[in-house]
Amino acid sequence: MTTVTLPTVPPPPESRTGALPLPGRYTVAPGRSLVELTAWYGPLPVRRRRVSLAGASLEVSPEAEHPEFRFEFDGRELRAALTTERVEEAAGRLQLTADLDIDDVAFPVLLRLRVVDHTDDRLLVVGTARLPYRLLHRATGFRLPWRLPATRLRLLVAAEFA
């Protein structure tokens, strides 16, 4: 029997795994985001409006356990800030456990983001959060016009952090 030595292929250069960019602070440039608030009554969407994104930031720190996302909404329909408490990564998706601060009252939100594209210095995400309207109204005082019935709200967020 003969022993054959096969050439070894060097492993690829050290590459990052995961859906987040390298440690640092990232923001969203004006015009590189989309935020939409949709009111649903049962299975029917009854109102869909764009909301202005006043600011958004992502801070990835090697010391911190979780990165910190912050979205600030400034529109007629919604004036609030969404700040993450915990971020979980799984298969190109990020699941953010966050607080939606409306008039200094924090309402818990689960925002599921799909990572569309990411590099070492850029992250493009699209995601939604479903909010029960009655609970949100009771907890924070957030209110839609009286003539607009709603059972839940959907917050759609698309942003490019660079």
Side-chain angles (χ1 to χ4, degrees):
M1 195 148 176
T2 311
T3 304
V4 177
T5 305
L6 297 174
T8 60
V9 178
E14 197 62 34
S15 61
R16 277 185 321 101
T17 58
L20 294 170
L22 293 175
R25 182 170 171 78
Y26 303 92
T27 58
V28 174
R32 303 301 290 174
S33 66
L34 171 79
V35 179
E36 189 176 87
L37 186 66
T38 306
W40 292 77
Y41 186 73
L44 303 172
V46 292
R47 179 182 233 176
R48 179 174 290 150
R49 294 284 188 259
R50 291 244 174 116
V51 176
S52 300
L53 186 65
S57 64
L58 164 63
E59 191 165 335
V60 181
S61 173
E63 299 89 31
E65 186 177 343
H66 298 287
E68 182 180 317
F69 284 86
R70 180 167 175 81
F71 297 96
E72 296 173 7
F73 310 111
D74 185 28
R76 267 191 10 219
E77 299 288 325
L78 181 65
R79 290 183 194 276
L82 187 128
T83 308
T84 60
E85 292 180 355
R86 203 168 108 209
V87 177
E88 295 176 12
E89 290 184 56
R93 296 191 181 271
L94 298 172
Q95 184 167 303
L96 281 59
T97 304
D99 285 332
L100 183 66
D101 295 322
I102 300 175
D103 295 331
D104 295 327
V105 177
F107 187 79
V109 172
L110 182 64
L111 179 62
R112 293 186 173 122
L113 296 174
R114 182 172 60 93
V115 177
V116 178
D117 188 24
H118 76 286
T119 60
D120 287 345
D121 61 348
R122 192 173 72 98
L123 178 68
L124 178 62
V125 293
V126 175
T128 59
R130 290 186 176 193
L131 310 169
Y133 177 66
R134 275 193 187 153
L135 291 176
L136 182 67
H137 172 65
R138 286 181 187 156
T140 64
F142 174 80
R143 168 173 290 215
L144 292 172
W146 65 270
R147 63 188 178 284
L148 187 67
T151 54
R152 71 183 186 281
L153 302 173
R154 184 189 73 179
L155 181 66
L156 171 85
V157 177
E160 181 180 12
F161 295 92

